[in-house]
């Protein structure tokens, strides 16, 4: 209910009458009785109303603008001043036909006609009685119809329920007047002074905020009690809306008051800041906009920037998330959108740089040169995603910097070791306090180009926690089909990573999840040979340490023989980190002698090396003699490269039990069991009496018990050791072997062949027994690494024993019975 409606000023044109219109008297019961007793005319001119319904007894002003309506009003005003008023079904129809109007309307009397300056005519009507159109007789010059009276059913005079409904309508009307700020309190007196029940219902129905159709439905209800109930229902709804609206407005008013207060304080702070020489909020936004003009954004990114900048403009600088919003915009500006460094396509120069910084690593260098060659021919090629896999210290990480220099690109490296939060890769959502982008986006921001060489160091050491799985987040980063639109949670936009050359490094491929491993091109970087280590020490490590310790090449000279002594006697690794430490120790000793002005040999000898580094510590992996039966040299792969291990076995009186020691894993124990069962099954062919197997316990031991050992590759060595023990025959000198065995006596291939061969060479092994299927692995190794070693390729254990066992009886051989 509104002020205009409660005072009967419900104008179609929203044009208010003067204040005199507020003094229209209310209908008394006598007036209503007189009005009900009036006879209806047989026919009436029909005035369609666009967006209102006239109820009996109610006075309303309307503005007529249609020619037909003006003519009807003029004719009726000159005649009996009585017309029929009906509501249109569709208010948009300019010239309604009989089908466009409702059949139930109200007979109205014209109380007043006003001519307006704009040519429209405003009339004040008072509803009399309801009627129903029987037949439309004319449509020109306006609608005319034969009408009939609309019968109304009234409740009995002492109907208690009806009286209660009327009281409820009055109470609700008074509450609505109190709740509505637009209705004057004087309207309460008007409601209280209405004595006629039917007029009260019509008066309230006319002034409620209802749709025309809802009002028309109320008008068409013939039962007065039912109409009163419907009116009460609508009033309840309106009161609830008013209460909700008032609650919202009170909250908004408080917020506006608070905002105005903050606005004035902010303006004062802005003035103080400018007086102190600081940058104002507006100036800061203008600086951000100026920086953005030079960015090479696509339409989507530009729209996002404009949207977020306008949000920053609307924010209070003291708001908690203002800093996050500003950081976001600065990130958008600082990121290298479509900014690429120019690749250097000089392949000879690239090859020279790679060879200058790293010795060996031919597979990696070859792959980089191939990529550069293809990129030279086709400039839009996606960068490869490489994974350099190998033991520590072989140069996996450092080669990334050389690759970047060779290509002429920026170099970025992030260490993934111990990373356990997925947000470190993808970033945090902006809704969090202290949110920031992931390390991928942060690193690209630092690089300043969208095509750097990006080293993901120690990718195998990612861990999982309740914060997510970072290795799963890397699936998108390292997928050439997905990383064109890499989504960072903080950035909330796709960033193109397809031109970034990712180089991951790993020591152990088994800890990388298969889906991530499948996305990368694996390049195996095996350990260095002694010869390679000597060359690396001579060309790289020694000059580096001399320079870092403030010496010159004249101050110290270390020959190849002395470098070999350091490599063999003081290091045991696949890489060169330990070697660099030992060289640094030697150089520090020389630097001390120079600083203290002591005499020293500038050209170091073997004795000088021993004096500085102490006695050689790494002699334990040398080959041991073959005097004792049951001692076989096996080959093993470790995380630091290859190594040799000794398999020992002895017999003792017993009942044929097998004991294994040396911190062996499950697979290795199973190999020992298979070997013994094979011997039992083939004892006659091997020349071993069944009584010996039954009467003696077998003990197999692998020295260095503190070191865990596992894997199937010691199977052939264990079988050979047991046969040697049972036959008390010597094993061939300077022989090592590796391979898995089956119960049928088959020899199966194993991995880590290059590392094992290098370990064998270090241990002065001359002959190696391998599975025939491992020949392909040997063929891939440079010939220079194989010099001095003879390979025997076998398929069956009988072949192994043929090569390994001699006819000589072992030292201190036992007589087995």
């Amino acid at each position: 209910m509104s002020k205009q409606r409660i005072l009967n000023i419900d104008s179609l044109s929203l044009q208010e009458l003067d204040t005199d219109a507020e003094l229209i008297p209310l209908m008394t019961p006598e007036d209503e009785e007189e009005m009900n007793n009036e006879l209806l005319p047989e026919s009436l001119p029909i005035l369609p109303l666009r967006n209102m319904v006239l109820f009996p007894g109610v006075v309303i002003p309307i503005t007529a603008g249609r020619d037909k309506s003006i003519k009807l009003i003029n004719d009726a005003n000159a005649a009996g001043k009585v017309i029929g008023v009906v509501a249109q079904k569709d208010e948009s129809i300019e010239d309604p036909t009989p089908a466009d109007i409702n059949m139930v309307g109200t007979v109205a009397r014209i109380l007043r006609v006003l001519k307006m300056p704009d040519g429209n005519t405003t009339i004040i009507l008072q509803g009399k009685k309801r009627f129903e159109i029987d037949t439309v007789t004319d449509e020109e010059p306006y609608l005319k119809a034969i009408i009939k009276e609309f019968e109304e059913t009234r409740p009995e005079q002492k109907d208690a329920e009806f009286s209660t409904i009327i009281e409820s309508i009055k109470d609700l009307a008074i509450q609505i007047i109190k709740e509505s700020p637009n209705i004057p309190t004087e309207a309460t007196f008007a409601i209280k002074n209405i004595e006629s029940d039917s007029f009260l219902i019509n008066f309230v129905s006319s002034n409620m905020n209802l749709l025309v159709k809802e009002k028309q439905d109320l008008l068409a209800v013939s039962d007065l009690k039912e109409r009163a109930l419907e009116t009460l229902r609508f009033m309840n709804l309106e009161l609830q809306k008013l209460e909700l609206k008032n609650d919202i407005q009170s909250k908004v008013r408080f917020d506006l008051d608070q905002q105005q207060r903050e606005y004035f304080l902010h303006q004062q702070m802005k003035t103080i800041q400018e007086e102190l020489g600081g940058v104002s909020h507006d100036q800061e936004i203008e600086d951000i906009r100026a920086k953005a003009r030079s960015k090479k954004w696509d339409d989507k990114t530009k729209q996002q920037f404009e949207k977020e900048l306008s949000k920053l403009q609307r924010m209070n600088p003291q708001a908690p998330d203002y800093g996050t919003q500003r950081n976001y915009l600065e990130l958008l500006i600082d990121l290298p959108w479509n900014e690429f460094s120019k690749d250097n396509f000089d392949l000879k120069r690239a090859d020279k740089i790679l060879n200058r910084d790293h010795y060996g690593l031919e597979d990696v260098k070859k792959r980089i040169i191939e990529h550069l060659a293809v990129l030279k021919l086709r400039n839009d090629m996606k960068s490869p995603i490489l994974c350099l896999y190998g033991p520590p210290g072989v140069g996996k990480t450092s080669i990334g910097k050389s690759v970047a220099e060779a290509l002429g690109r920026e170099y970025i490296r992030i260490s993934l070791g111990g990373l356990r939060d997925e947000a470190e890769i993808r970033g945090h959502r902006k809704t969090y306090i202290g949110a920031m982008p992931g390390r991928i986006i942060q690193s690209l921001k630092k690089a300043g180009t969208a095509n750097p060489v990006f080293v993901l160091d120690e990718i195998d050491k990612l861990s999982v926690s309740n914060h997510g799985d970072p290795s799963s987040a890397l699936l998108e980063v390292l997928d050439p089909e997905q990383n064109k639109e890499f989504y960072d949670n903080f950035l909330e936009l796709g960033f193109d990573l397809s031109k970034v050359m990712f180089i991951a490094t790993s020591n152990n491929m088994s800890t990388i999840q298969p889906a991530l491993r499948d996305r990368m091109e694996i390049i195996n970087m095996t350990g260095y040979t002694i010869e390679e280590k000597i060359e690396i020490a001579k060309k790289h490590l020694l000059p580096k340490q001399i320079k870092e310790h403030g010496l010159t090449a004249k101050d110290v000279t270390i020959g190849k023989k002395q470098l070999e002594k350091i490599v063999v006697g003081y290091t045991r690794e696949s890489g060169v980190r330990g070697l660099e430490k030992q060289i640094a120790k030697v150089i520090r000793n020389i630097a001390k002698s120079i600083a203290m002005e002591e005499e020293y040999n500038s050209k170091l000898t073997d004795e000088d090396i021993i004096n500085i580094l102490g006695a050689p510590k790494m002699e334990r992996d040398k080959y041991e003699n073959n005097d004792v039966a049951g001692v076989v040299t096996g080959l093993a792969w470790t995380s630091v490269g290859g190594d040799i291990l000794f398999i020992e076995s002895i017999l003792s009186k017993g009942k044929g039990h097998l004991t294994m020691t040396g911190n062996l894993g499950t697979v290795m124990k199973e190999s020992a069991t298979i070997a013994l069962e094979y011997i039992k099954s083939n004892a006659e062919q091997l020349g071993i009496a069944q009584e010996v197997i039954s009467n003696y316990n077998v003990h197999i031991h692998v020295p260095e018990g503190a070191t865990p050992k596992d894997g199937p590759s010691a199977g052939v060595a264990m079988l050979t050791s047991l046969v040697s023990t049972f036959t008390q025959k010597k094993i061939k000198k300077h022989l090592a072997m590796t391979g898995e065995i089956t119960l049928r006596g088959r020899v199966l291939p194993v991995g880590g062949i290059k590392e094992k061969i290098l370990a064998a060479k270090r241990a002065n092994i001359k002959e190696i027994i391998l599975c025939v299927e491992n020949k392909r692995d040997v063929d891939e190794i440079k010939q220079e690494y194989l010099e001095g070693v003879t390979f025997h390729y076998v398929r069956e254990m009988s072949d192994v024993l043929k090569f390994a066992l001699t006819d000589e009886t072992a030292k201190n051989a036992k007589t087995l019975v």
Side-chain angles (χ1 to χ4, degrees):
M1 296 172 74
S2 67
K3 176 181 176 182
Q4 289 182 333
R5 288 179 174 171
I6 206 72
L7 296 177
N8 303 314
I9 306 173
D10 195 2
S11 171
L12 274 176
S13 63
L14 303 177
Q15 189 173 6
E16 297 184 6
L17 296 178
D18 56 22
T19 54
D20 293 340
E22 298 181 2
L23 303 175
I24 296 169
L26 299 173
M27 182 174 286
T28 62
E30 292 79 12
D31 295 333
E32 184 181 11
E33 185 178 353
E34 181 185 344
M35 187 174 65
N36 288 333
N37 292 331
E38 290 181 7
L39 295 175
L40 290 178
E42 187 178 344
S43 67
L44 280 176
I46 303 299
L47 177 65
L49 299 183
R50 284 180 187 271
N51 58 355
M52 68 167 56
V53 176
L54 178 62
F55 285 83
V58 178
V59 178
I60 61 171
I62 64 168
T63 299
R66 294 185 283 209
D67 293 339
K68 285 186 177 184
S69 300
I70 293 171
K71 180 166 179 55
L72 183 151
I73 291 165
N74 291 334
D75 290 352
N77 194 41
K81 296 183 182 289
V82 177
I83 61 174
V85 176
V86 295
Q88 289 181 202
K89 293 177 180 176
D90 184 354
E91 65 179 63
S92 64
I93 296 174
E94 185 65 28
D95 187 11
T97 64
D100 299 322
I101 60 175
N102 291 292
M103 291 294 103
V104 177
T106 305
V107 177
R109 177 177 293 280
I110 300 173
L111 299 180
R112 193 170 176 185
V113 178
L114 301 171
K115 300 288 185 182
M116 308 307 293
D118 59 359
N120 289 334
T121 299
T122 297
I123 60 172
I124 297 176
L125 299 176
Q126 183 177 31
K128 293 291 187 181
K129 295 177 72 174
R130 289 182 293 173
F131 70 88
E132 188 174 358
I133 294 175
D134 188 16
T135 309
V136 176
T137 56
D138 293 306
E139 293 188 33
E140 296 296 337
Y142 42 77
L143 291 173
K144 289 182 182 178
I146 296 172
I147 64 170
K148 57 184 179 181
E149 190 167 340
F150 189 84
E151 296 294 336
E152 182 175 70
T153 305
R154 290 174 174 266
E156 295 180 5
Q157 195 165 3
K158 294 184 179 181
D159 190 328
E161 185 181 357
F162 180 68
S163 300
T164 305
I165 293 171
I166 294 300
E167 288 300 319
S168 298
I169 288 175
K170 281 189 177 183
D171 292 342
L172 272 180
I174 291 168
Q175 284 187 54
I176 289 172
I177 292 167
K178 287 180 181 178
E179 289 288 339
S180 177
N182 300 321
I183 304 176
T185 54
E186 290 82 1
T188 306
F189 299 109
I191 294 293
K192 289 179 178 178
N193 289 329
I194 295 176
E195 299 175 5
S196 169
D197 295 342
S198 61
F199 178 65
L200 175 66
I201 296 167
N202 292 336
F203 183 74
V204 170
S205 300
S206 177
N207 288 286
M208 279 194 299
N209 288 319
L210 299 179
L211 299 174
V212 172
K213 185 179 184 308
E214 292 172 336
K215 287 188 177 183
Q216 179 64 36
D217 291 342
L218 280 175
L219 183 70
V221 175
S222 59
D223 189 298
L224 183 61
K225 185 176 178 181
E226 185 182 340
R227 185 145 48 94
L229 278 171
E230 277 296 295
T231 303
L232 187 62
R233 185 174 68 84
F234 282 122
M235 290 178 76
N236 269 309
L237 287 173
E238 185 163 350
L239 180 61
Q240 290 174 25
K241 290 178 183 177
L242 266 175
E243 289 173 344
L244 182 60
K245 181 180 177 183
N246 288 340
D247 286 344
I248 293 170
Q249 284 182 342
S250 65
K251 291 177 184 175
V252 170
R253 189 178 298 111
F254 172 76
D255 290 343
L256 282 175
D257 292 343
Q258 183 70 17
Q259 284 182 9
Q260 286 174 347
R261 180 174 175 275
E262 290 177 355
Y263 173 76
F264 289 125
L265 289 173
H266 174 57
Q267 289 298 109
Q268 290 176 352
M269 286 181 63
K270 177 181 170 184
T271 306
I272 294 169
Q273 197 173 31
E274 287 175 351
E275 288 293 326
L276 292 172
V279 179
S280 68
H281 175 53
D282 295 336
Q283 182 61 43
E284 189 175 32
I285 288 173
E286 192 53 43
D287 290 344
I288 292 173
R289 184 174 275 113
K291 289 178 183 176
R293 293 190 188 106
S294 61
K295 301 304 292 182
K296 301 173 185 175
W297 282 330
D298 55 23
D299 293 338
K300 185 178 178 182
T301 309
K302 193 171 184 179
Q303 288 172 7
Q304 177 77 357
F305 174 79
E306 293 295 339
K307 175 185 169 185
E308 297 296 332
L309 184 62
S310 62
K311 186 191 288 186
L312 184 72
Q313 285 179 292
R314 295 191 301 270
M315 289 175 71
N316 187 335
Q318 308 306 316
D321 52 347
Y322 180 83
T324 303
Q325 186 69 11
R326 187 182 60 199
N327 291 341
Y328 176 76
L329 289 167
E330 288 176 351
L331 176 68
L332 276 180
I333 292 171
D334 293 340
L335 277 176
W337 301 91
N338 299 316
E339 294 177 14
F340 305 102
S341 58
K342 190 176 180 181
D343 288 331
N344 190 324
F345 295 119
D346 188 343
L347 302 184
K348 291 182 179 178
R349 172 184 170 276
D351 191 48
K352 185 178 178 182
I353 289 172
L354 293 173
N355 286 322
R356 177 199 71 194
D357 295 340
H358 292 82
Y359 187 86
L361 308 181
E362 300 303 327
D363 289 344
V364 186
K365 294 175 183 176
K366 180 183 176 184
R367 183 65 185 89
I368 300 302
I369 296 299
E370 285 174 353
H371 170 68
L372 198 55
V374 176
L375 203 61
K376 184 176 181 180
L377 300 175
R378 181 184 173 184
N379 203 26
D380 62 342
M381 182 191 176
K382 292 178 181 177
S383 290
I385 296 170
L386 309 178
C387 180
L388 309 182
Y389 156 60
V394 296
K396 299 185 299 296
T397 304
S398 61
I399 199 170
K401 190 173 285 187
S402 301
V403 170
E405 185 183 348
L407 295 174
R409 296 188 181 187
E410 293 294 322
Y411 170 73
I412 306 172
R413 173 189 164 273
I414 63 172
S415 177
L416 301 178
L419 203 71
R420 56 184 180 180
D421 189 352
E422 179 237 356
E424 291 282 346
I425 305 297
R426 289 190 183 277
H428 305 84
R429 289 180 178 84
K430 285 194 297 176
T431 51
Y432 298 120
I433 294 173
M436 60 173 59
R439 294 178 68 178
I440 302 291
I441 294 296
Q442 285 185 51
S443 299
L444 288 171
K445 173 186 167 184
K446 290 177 186 175
T449 63
N451 64 336
V453 172
F454 204 128
V455 174
L456 301 169
D457 211 7
E458 312 291 359
I459 197 170
D460 58 320
K461 294 174 181 63
L462 288 168
S463 55
V464 181
S465 73
N466 57 340
H467 296 293
D469 182 5
S471 65
S472 297
L474 280 175
L475 293 176
E476 183 184 2
V477 176
L478 300 181
D479 189 342
E481 300 302 320
Q482 296 182 45
N483 65 8
K484 189 172 177 63
E485 287 288 324
F486 170 66
Y487 185 87
D488 185 276
N489 290 328
F490 184 83
L491 186 61
E492 295 180 342
L493 284 169
F495 193 88
D496 186 5
L497 300 180
S498 62
K499 300 293 190 294
V500 178
M501 177 182 261
F502 287 102
I503 300 178
T505 70
S506 168
N507 299 128
N508 186 1
M509 295 303 293
S510 63
T511 58
I512 302 175
Q513 62 163 297
L516 185 59
R517 191 164 62 237
D518 184 59
R519 282 162 166 77
M520 300 183 290
E521 183 178 337
I522 310 297
I523 298 177
N524 192 5
M525 294 177 64
T526 53
Y528 295 114
T529 63
I530 294 174
E531 293 77 8
E532 286 176 329
K533 288 183 180 180
I534 293 169
E535 290 298 321
I536 291 169
K538 184 180 177 183
K539 293 181 179 179
H540 300 282
L541 304 182
L542 184 58
K544 176 185 173 185
Q545 291 301 324
I546 288 174
K547 183 179 179 182
E548 286 185 359
H549 289 81
L551 306 182
T552 64
K554 295 179 182 177
D555 294 327
V556 59
T557 303
I558 304 179
K560 279 192 175 184
K561 186 180 176 185
Q562 284 71 41
L563 287 173
E564 183 178 356
K565 188 170 185 65
I566 295 174
V567 171
V568 173
Y570 300 91
T571 65
R572 182 172 175 265
E573 58 182 348
S574 293
V576 291
R577 281 205 185 103
L579 175 59
E580 185 173 14
K581 291 173 185 175
Q582 296 301 324
I583 291 174
K585 189 174 181 181
V586 172
I587 300 302
R588 282 197 303 273
N589 188 274
I590 301 296
K592 183 203 75 170
S593 298
I594 293 174
M596 297 180 69
E597 297 181 353
E598 297 174 349
E599 288 189 8
Y600 72 96
N601 289 331
S602 59
K603 188 173 182 180
L604 296 181
T605 62
D606 292 352
E607 290 76 17
D608 294 327
I609 298 296
I610 293 172
N611 290 335
I612 296 170
L613 299 180
K617 305 174 182 64
M618 302 296 175
E619 299 293 340
R620 57 191 169 86
D621 62 350
K622 287 291 184 183
Y623 168 76
E624 295 185 3
N625 62 59
N626 65 334
D627 294 341
V628 181
V631 179
V632 178
T633 306
L635 299 175
W637 180 93
T638 69
S639 59
V640 295
D643 200 357
I644 66 169
L645 53 83
F646 301 104
I647 310 295
E648 302 175 349
S649 62
I650 61 169
L651 300 178
S652 60
K653 283 285 187 177
K655 297 182 179 180
H657 297 309
L658 173 64
T659 305
M660 291 168 280
T661 55
N663 202 352
L664 308 185
T666 305
V667 177
M668 206 164 182
K669 287 179 179 179
E670 288 174 353
S671 296
T673 305
I674 291 169
L676 183 58
E677 293 303 319
Y678 175 81
I679 291 171
K680 289 178 181 179
S681 177
N682 297 276
E684 189 176 340
Q685 293 93 317
L686 297 173
I688 303 171
Q690 285 288 353
E691 295 78 11
V692 173
I693 298 174
S694 302
N695 296 334
Y696 287 88
N697 291 334
V698 180
H699 188 141
I700 297 177
H701 177 67
V702 183
E704 298 182 38
T707 306
K709 309 168 193 71
D710 203 2
S713 63
V716 292
M718 286 181 167
L719 181 53
T720 305
S721 172
L722 290 175
V723 173
S724 172
T725 302
F726 279 119
T727 59
Q728 293 294 297
K729 297 289 179 68
K730 283 186 178 182
I731 303 295
K732 197 173 184 181
K733 284 185 177 180
H734 303 291
L735 173 72
M737 60 188 72
T738 182
E740 181 180 354
I741 59 170
T742 70
L743 280 173
R744 295 176 295 159
R746 292 286 308 278
V747 179
L748 303 181
V750 291
I753 296 300
K754 182 182 177 183
E755 288 83 356
K756 291 176 178 179
I757 292 172
L758 296 179
K761 285 195 70 176
R762 287 197 297 268
N764 199 27
I765 297 294
K766 304 299 182 185
E767 297 180 67
I768 298 175
I769 296 176
L770 297 172
C771 174
V772 70
E773 292 177 37
N774 280 128
K775 188 175 187 302
R776 59 175 180 265
D777 298 308
V778 177
D779 292 340
E780 293 177 0
I781 301 172
K782 282 186 177 181
Q783 190 61 37
E784 60 192 78
Y785 297 162
L786 309 177
E787 289 179 2
V789 179
T790 302
F791 294 94
H792 303 287
Y793 300 107
V794 297
R795 294 184 187 275
E796 305 284 342
M797 267 313 300
S798 56
D799 301 329
V800 175
L801 297 175
K802 191 184 299 180
F803 285 120
L805 288 177
T806 66
D807 294 330
E808 295 179 52
T809 303
K811 183 180 178 182
N812 299 324
K814 295 180 179 180
T815 303
L816 303 176
V817 290

